[in-house]
Amino acid sequence: MDCHDCSQSCQPKRHNKAWKLFGFGSKKSSKNNSSIDSQTTMALVGSPNVGKIERIVIETQAGMSESLTFAIAQSRHQLAMALEQDVTVQPQQQRAFKHEWLHQLTVHPLTGIPILGLVLYFGVYQFVGVFGGGTLVDGIEGFFESEINPVVNNVVAAIFPWQVIQDLFANDYGIITLGIRYAVAIVLPIVTTFFLMFSLLEDSGYLPRLSLLVDRLFKTIGLSGRSIIPLILGLGCGTMATLVTRTLESKRERIIATLLLALTIPCSAQLGVILGLLSQEPTALFVWATVMVAIFLGIGFLAGKIVPGNASCFYMEIPPLRLPSLKAILTKTYVRLKWYFGEILPLFIFASVLIWAGKLTGLFDALVGGLEPVMLWLGLPKEAAPTFLYGFFRRDYGAAGMFDLHSSGILAGQQLVVAAVTLTLFIPCIAQLQFMFKERGLKNTIVIASFVVLFAFSLGYLLNQLLTIMELSF
Amino acid sequence: MFTQGFSVHYSPLNFLGTKTQGIITAIRNKDDKIVKKLLSMGIHTGMQITLEQRFPSFVIRVGRTRIALDKDIASSIKVRVTTRN
């Protein structure tokens, strides 16, 4: 391609200097200009060329009404367009507007918001919560309890005569009977259904439309529509979502999103268990949901006021709506699950070992003992203390523990609501904390984490008092 | 026809109604980064633009791309209106 020729034919004359400046011009100037970066500028200091280049930049700028960057980008774009028109043929009837009506439905506020409601209700509540967290978990969990755990307990008891070693692998807190069971029976079905749904939304092109719908609302909490993607992903896994916040535009937006992810967004295991448990009591579910939405908006609003930085801007390309391919969705879900399990399975096993060691040394009992007054303060039974301690290791681990407590009839009614709210708000799991540290740095992580712990317990206390005063029964 | 050719009539995108078509005459924002982002998405002066939606966000069509913008960014795109429905 002859650059010089082309620039002559398709560029306005006044852009010629800028054109040359960025290497599209004669050999001499391109030699000079390929070196305009900080490193080589340093090397060139003192050379007569620097002054020459600076003079060219200033002179060129003086002859133009807009900035140089603008002119250069414009010129490049025009060149690209001219090239494209040269080599492509456009069919008269383009089918670019194939799903136009569907697009209009999803982005119009009057129809888009009900559609969003339907997506959340069927996609998250019915599919992930009721089907994944209810039907599938009950089935697999029941199978584990009745078929696998007794066998494991017996086999381990037959191999190792010592109680201590038996407890490491089997019984109440064993690696297989607790760690693997939580991972496979409770977390796996919920996370799988969530990732399936998320991949479907992602591939259909719905998520950018969702961003567009919520942008105005999100501006009031210091975010932009773009942040809905990590936040929705956070409903699947807060750790993965914290990693994804790096796609946000400003540092301020990243900090607010990280805080909201740590504090208010329940991960899919939590969500599945909580929806599963509370859906039997519509009032309880309503209270939990209202409290979470209120905290999300309230804390977001305050964070938007407090966190320094400029207000965020929103721009996003809206790709056409597409019918996703099943293969792509399955592949994506598989890859995410692989990442997820690679991340959590060792932690689950590690947590089981830690609990085992903690029980053996009495450290675990001491910690649980320390948490018990806090539980009573929240109006919870002291048996809930271990669950909160598990939540420290993995959020989903804590949620899974709550599921156990409820099935054994220890946690019910008002306590269930208070426990659900506190556990949702409570400290992000170790993995999420680790990613917060990686992405946001030590200072932000400490500030966010201590705020989250304090806030969770204070709010749990207040909620318990409030529910008692209001004499709400569930 | 002749007089029309000389009337320079352009306004920020956020002042226009939906379904307005026009030609982009300038892109100006106090934040240079935003201008660069718009340029990199293919929003350039001289291109035809259609405003598809104003609420809850601005939706425009430029070339073969559809882009959502907030009000602040929309105001930085100046348009010479060619049709009005």
Side-chain angles (χ1 to χ4, degrees):
Chain A
M1 182 196 82
D2 191 340
C3 284
H4 200 72
D5 257 26
C6 198
S7 73
Q8 291 290 344
S9 61
C10 62
Q11 292 311 306
K13 213 172 179 181
R14 63 194 174 120
H15 287 161
N16 270 356
K17 276 186 181 168
W19 202 239
K20 277 182 191 164
L21 203 72
F22 268 69
F24 288 101
S26 66
K27 267 184 188 156
K28 196 182 164 201
S29 68
S30 82
K31 200 175 165 189
N32 286 342
N33 293 306
S34 56
S35 55
I36 309 185
D37 56 57
S38 55
Q39 218 181 346
T40 26
T41 311
M42 288 307 286
L44 275 173
V45 166
S47 120
N49 286 336
V50 174
K52 214 160 129 193
I53 295 165
E54 274 172 355
R55 210 173 53 244
I56 295 175
V57 171
I58 293 165
E59 276 173 9
T60 322
Q61 178 67 79
M64 277 191 286
S65 54
E66 64 261 277
S67 76
L68 268 181
T69 14
F70 187 90
I72 292 162
Q74 181 90 7
S75 309
R76 281 195 173 148
H77 188 74
Q78 275 168 2
L79 175 64
M81 285 229 297
L83 275 176
E84 190 240 4
Q85 265 163 19
D86 271 359
V87 296
T88 54
V89 182
Q90 265 206 58
Q92 280 299 306
Q93 285 294 316
Q94 259 214 329
R95 294 178 68 198
F97 300 94
K98 213 166 106 193
H99 299 298
E100 189 60 21
W101 61 275
L102 199 57
H103 162 79
Q104 291 303 337
L105 281 183
T106 52
V107 296
H108 194 282
L110 279 182
T111 48
I113 289 163
I115 288 177
L116 168 59
L118 285 179
V119 166
L120 289 181
Y121 178 77
F122 286 107
V124 179
Y125 180 77
Q126 287 292 345
F127 188 58
V128 181
V130 177
F131 176 67
T135 320
L136 286 182
V137 168
D138 283 349
I140 305 177
E141 170 79 6
F143 179 73
F144 252 88
E145 294 282 9
S146 63
E147 306 293 329
I148 297 183
N149 279 6
V151 175
V152 170
N153 286 350
N154 288 337
V155 169
V156 169
I159 299 174
F160 305 103
W162 311 281
Q163 179 75 31
V164 174
I165 303 290
Q166 282 174 22
D167 281 347
L168 177 62
F169 294 103
N171 300 332
D172 280 353
Y173 296 102
I175 290 176
I176 301 172
T177 46
L178 184 86
I180 307 270
R181 175 169 66 91
Y182 275 3
V184 175
I186 299 179
V187 178
L188 177 71
I190 297 172
V191 175
T192 310
T193 44
F194 180 85
F195 283 156
L196 271 175
M197 203 254 327
F198 190 80
S199 311
L200 181 78
L201 288 182
E202 207 179 25
D203 279 14
S204 64
Y206 181 68
L207 291 176
R209 288 167 175 83
L210 190 56
S211 308
L212 174 170
L213 274 180
V214 299
D215 181 56
R216 289 221 182 191
L217 174 72
F218 270 37
K219 286 277 161 63
T220 60
I221 58 171
L223 295 172
S224 76
R226 200 174 277 269
S227 342
I228 188 87
I229 294 172
L231 291 182
I232 291 258
L233 188 61
L235 289 174
C237 171
T239 309
M240 199 185 261
T242 306
L243 188 71
V244 170
T245 53
R246 63 165 64 169
T247 61
L248 299 178
E249 281 299 305
S250 63
K251 195 180 162 202
R252 175 183 128 101
E253 226 177 304
R254 289 195 283 268
I255 289 178
I256 298 176
T258 309
L259 169 67
L260 288 176
L261 279 171
L263 184 68
T264 59
I265 306 288
C267 67
S268 61
Q270 269 182 324
L271 195 68
V273 171
I274 287 168
L275 289 180
L277 290 180
L278 299 187
S279 57
Q280 297 145 16
E281 288 291 343
T283 342
L285 187 62
F286 179 75
V287 170
W288 175 80
T290 316
V291 169
M292 293 326 293
V293 171
I295 293 172
F296 177 80
L297 292 177
I299 292 296
F301 182 76
L302 286 178
K305 294 266 175 258
I306 294 167
V307 178
N310 290 328
S312 30
C313 60
F314 173 66
Y315 60 89
M316 192 177 247
E317 196 177 324
I318 310 287
L321 284 170
R322 286 194 185 90
L323 196 65
S325 92
L326 187 67
K327 201 182 147 212
I329 289 181
L330 291 180
T331 314
K332 268 188 177 177
T333 309
Y334 170 72
V335 169
R336 290 200 168 116
L337 277 177
K338 216 169 91 177
W339 179 87
Y340 186 76
F341 273 91
E343 196 75 9
I344 71 152
L345 208 57
L347 275 165
F348 265 46
I349 291 169
F350 178 66
S352 282
V353 174
L354 221 59
I355 292 171
W356 171 78
K359 281 187 99 65
L360 205 64
T361 53
L363 188 70
F364 187 63
D365 287 331
L367 279 173
V368 169
L371 268 173
E372 275 172 4
V374 182
M375 294 299 112
L376 296 175
W377 193 59
L378 295 175
L380 298 177
K382 63 181 189 334
E383 287 86 349
T387 303
F388 278 78
L389 203 60
Y390 297 164
F392 224 66
F393 296 110
R394 289 291 306 186
R395 264 185 176 191
D396 30 24
Y397 216 79
M402 209 172 92
F403 181 84
D404 269 2
L405 278 180
H406 180 73
S407 12
S408 50
I410 295 170
L411 217 54
Q414 184 177 332
Q415 294 174 332
L416 202 59
V417 180
V418 175
V421 167
T422 317
L423 266 177
T424 314
L425 294 176
F426 190 44
I427 191 83
C429 63
I430 284 186
Q432 188 174 346
L433 215 57
Q434 185 191 334
F435 272 84
M436 270 164 73
F437 170 63
K438 261 191 207 158
E439 295 289 314
R440 293 296 93 78
L442 184 64
K443 203 184 98 195
N444 284 327
T445 308
I446 290 176
V447 171
I448 292 177
S450 26
F451 171 74
V452 167
V453 174
L454 272 176
F455 187 85
F457 285 113
S458 323
L459 200 107
Y461 175 75
L462 281 177
L463 183 69
N464 184 43
Q465 297 297 319
L466 197 71
L467 291 175
T468 314
I469 293 166
M470 285 163 68
E471 292 180 346
L472 270 177
S473 60
F474 298 104
Chain B
M1 192 63 195
F2 190 71
T3 45
Q4 242 184 7
F6 281 94
S7 70
V8 184
H9 168 158
Y10 68 85
S11 61
L13 190 69
N14 60 324
F15 286 2
L16 304 178
T18 44
K19 291 186 184 157
T20 311
Q21 287 195 346
I23 306 285
I24 301 172
T25 51
I27 299 165
R28 286 182 225 284
N29 194 296
K30 55 184 185 308
D31 188 352
D32 216 36
K33 254 165 67 187
I34 289 177
V35 177
K36 277 186 201 162
K37 289 272 154 80
L38 291 177
L39 292 174
S40 70
M41 282 196 294
I43 303 178
H44 289 267
T45 55
M47 289 190 78
Q48 191 169 46
I49 184 171
T50 311
L51 180 60
E52 294 193 338
Q53 191 175 336
R54 291 178 51 91
F55 185 85
S57 297
F58 286 81
V59 179
I60 57 167
R61 187 178 265 283
V62 176
R64 263 157 276 170
T65 357
R66 180 180 261 146
I67 295 161
L69 309 166
D70 64 16
K71 199 180 162 189
D72 178 54
I73 296 186
S75 70
S76 56
I77 302 176
K78 321 290 179 202
V79 177
R80 178 162 59 81
V81 176
T82 52
T83 59
R84 219 189 276 261
N85 285 11

